[in-house]
Amino acid sequence: MTAGQWRSTTVDQRRKALHDEVDDEPAPGIIVYVGEDAGGWMRVGPRMVQRRVLNSRVMKSGTKEPLGADDVWAITCASIRTKYRRRGLEAVLVDAAVRYARERGARVIEAYPIDNTVARPSSNSMFVGALTTFLHAGFTVISRPTPTRAVVSLEVGR
């Protein structure tokens, strides 16, 4: 949903929209487990269906890919449960997201992480991921729309 749609819907409407999205293909994200416990989640999917990222100034000012490209996927957010942070789960999720996107026909995967080498970001701002994690996974910095944000890209197919 766009920010305006989010604000104008009820919790029940958002819950139904989420269930509809999860029931559709491709699923909108992946989960990492630690034993039987869900340790974290990452949103990954075709950029074209992620309405909020399509309105993002960071993405629009930094991408090199056509906005209408249906084979460009985006990793737009991640959440690691507090008790599992600092264990490398974000890297596990990024690697799994790359495989997931590649298997479903992505040509390019983008992400819009925080540059955690410039300043120590708050844990609340880390929902977009850490730049160092993406660089270690083989992504390349395409642009730096702000001093603390980067647009990274990885070619994975075709």
Side-chain angles (χ1 to χ4, degrees):
M1 294 182 181
T2 64
Q5 290 169 327
W6 178 264
R7 286 189 298 272
S8 68
T9 57
T10 66
V11 170
D12 286 339
Q13 290 170 321
R14 291 191 295 262
R15 184 176 292 121
K16 181 185 179 324
L18 176 62
H19 284 267
D20 289 348
E21 186 178 20
V22 168
D23 290 341
D24 204 3
E25 274 293 321
I30 54 175
I31 299 171
V32 63
Y33 287 89
V34 178
E36 300 289 316
D37 204 13
W41 176 83
M42 181 168 276
R43 181 167 182 88
V44 57
R47 189 177 66 182
M48 286 295 300
V49 301
Q50 297 190 52
R51 291 184 189 143
R52 282 187 99 149
V53 78
L54 292 175
N55 293 322
S56 162
R57 285 179 281 156
V58 168
M59 185 279 294
K60 283 182 179 178
S61 65
T63 187
K64 301 295 186 229
E65 296 294 329
L67 294 181
D70 62 0
D71 57 356
V72 175
W73 281 45
I75 296 172
T76 53
C77 67
S79 179
I80 306 294
R81 292 179 71 187
T82 303
K83 66 183 181 179
Y84 295 123
R85 291 183 184 157
R86 299 198 177 282
R87 295 186 182 189
L89 291 185
E90 185 174 89
V92 171
L93 282 166
V94 169
D95 289 343
V98 168
R99 283 192 310 275
Y100 182 75
R102 180 184 294 125
E103 290 167 0
R104 285 158 183 79
R107 175 181 55 83
V108 171
I109 306 169
E110 286 185 345
Y112 318 97
I114 291 282
D115 186 344
N116 54 324
T117 66
V118 172
R120 182 160 171 86
S122 70
S123 58
N124 285 343
S125 66
M126 291 302 297
F127 73 94
V128 292
L131 176 59
T132 54
T133 302
F134 286 95
L135 294 177
H136 285 127
F139 283 74
T140 302
V141 174
I142 300 304
S143 66
R144 290 187 171 267
T146 74
T148 59
R149 293 290 295 276
V151 174
V152 297
S153 178
L154 180 69
E155 291 190 26
V156 293
R158 296 188 209 170

